[in-house]
Amino acid sequence: MNSSGPDSPRILPAVGKYWSERAELSGFFTATRDLIAALWEFVRDSTPSRLRSRFGDADYDWDYRVNTTSGAVGWRDRLLGVFHSPYQPTERALFHEMIATVAEHTKLNFAEFTFIDLGSGKGRALLMASDYPFRRIVGVELIPSLHEIARQNVAQYKSDSQRCSRIETTCADAAEFDFPEGPLLVYLFNPLPESGLRRTITNLARSLEMNPRAAYILYHNPQLEHVLMETTKFEKIAGTQQFSCFTVSK
């Protein structure tokens, strides 16, 4: 099942929100400096050498005839990514290592859990998650063009290792997503700026308070791990420099 959501975010409002949130936290000059640095990094990332490097993860796409590489993302979506979160697909080996770590440190029964990727981009994590017998798999992506590519990838994906075919893609704001009933494994690949992550974690905590159930958070590239560490709702149970795993506090 696929569902459409909000219109594509606009660039100027995204820039304004990016600057204002930083100005509120750190002041005018720091926010302006961060904005200039982000725009300069976007310019550098648009050079031919950087563009070529983003196709370095294309082996997965070649193997499964899908489009999940970051190299094929257009300039507008890349610029929006500067002010939300840049699209980057998860490496195949690391994804399976992370899932194995969660299974090792928890009583994870895949058949009972819904896998949810917040900021699912083109859907690579959804496809890799289908190697496990999850109850269902759900991707949530804010940018409509990436969501549409994910929808196409899900429709045409074929693998002998696939054990879950119930894959859904939703175009929505992760901070406002209505989490489904039942146990959850929530996957984050640093998908949001700090303010957005705080709203998302608050939204998830509220859902778990209204409907108590098992839930794990798998946070890849946990640059904002302190947001989860500051809340009393979740506690860290495992992790490396590349990822962290959280569960609902007892």
Side-chain angles (χ1 to χ4, degrees):
M1 183 180 75
N2 305 288
S3 61
S4 60
D7 294 335
S8 181
R10 292 178 297 167
I11 291 175
L12 287 180
V15 173
K17 184 176 181 181
Y18 176 94
W19 183 90
S20 62
E21 288 179 347
R22 280 160 177 73
E24 183 177 351
L25 290 172
S26 306
F28 175 90
F29 292 107
T30 298
T32 303
R33 181 198 64 195
D34 289 350
L35 175 59
I36 293 172
L39 290 171
W40 174 242
E41 181 60 24
F42 171 77
V43 172
R44 292 182 59 204
D45 201 42
S46 300
T47 61
S49 61
R50 289 283 191 95
L51 288 171
R52 284 193 297 271
S53 71
R54 291 204 302 276
F55 281 99
D57 61 358
D59 287 348
Y60 183 88
D61 289 10
W62 179 259
D63 289 343
Y64 296 104
R65 301 300 188 267
V66 291
N67 170 18
T68 67
T69 180
S70 58
V73 177
W75 73 267
R76 186 181 184 280
D77 290 340
R78 286 194 299 108
L79 183 55
L80 282 170
V82 170
F83 306 113
H84 293 281
S85 179
Y87 171 68
Q88 183 178 357
T90 302
E91 296 177 5
R92 182 172 9 186
L94 179 56
F95 181 83
H96 293 300
E97 177 186 343
M98 290 187 287
I99 295 294
T101 299
V102 176
E104 178 185 351
H105 288 84
T106 68
K107 297 179 180 179
L108 179 63
N109 182 346
F110 291 102
E112 296 178 354
F113 278 73
T114 297
F115 177 92
I116 301 176
D117 183 5
L118 299 180
S120 51
K122 293 182 175 183
R124 182 185 291 187
L126 307 179
L127 305 181
M128 294 189 295
S130 72
D131 282 351
Y132 303 88
F134 284 106
R135 177 185 179 188
R136 58 194 280 225
I137 296 170
V138 179
V140 183
E141 173 55 46
L142 179 65
I143 298 177
S145 56
L146 297 182
H147 160 71
E148 176 59 22
I149 293 172
R151 188 192 64 78
Q152 295 172 8
N153 285 331
V154 168
Q156 66 192 43
Y157 178 72
K158 290 181 176 60
S159 171
D160 292 338
S161 62
Q162 187 172 12
R163 301 179 67 188
C164 176
S165 58
R166 190 179 176 187
I167 308 176
E168 307 167 18
T169 58
T170 299
C171 189
D173 185 341
E176 300 175 0
F177 178 63
D178 185 12
F179 288 94
E181 297 182 356
L184 307 174
L185 174 55
V186 179
Y187 181 65
L188 307 170
F189 186 177
N190 201 38
L192 299 160
E194 183 167 342
S195 60
L197 182 60
R198 288 187 182 279
R199 293 197 307 273
T200 299
I201 295 303
T202 298
N203 181 32
L204 174 59
R206 184 183 304 114
S207 175
L208 295 173
E209 288 171 1
M210 294 176 61
N211 180 13
R213 58 210 191 272
Y216 303 110
I217 300 174
L218 184 54
Y219 188 3
H220 178 200
N221 189 26
Q223 296 182 14
L224 300 174
E225 182 182 71
H226 63 274
V227 173
L228 280 85
M229 298 292 287
E230 291 169 4
T231 178
T232 59
K233 186 65 179 177
F234 303 101
E235 61 180 322
K236 185 174 179 179
I237 57 174
T240 68
Q241 289 185 337
Q242 293 181 296
F243 63 89
S244 298
C245 181
F246 291 81
T247 188
V248 179
S249 300
K250 297 180 181 179

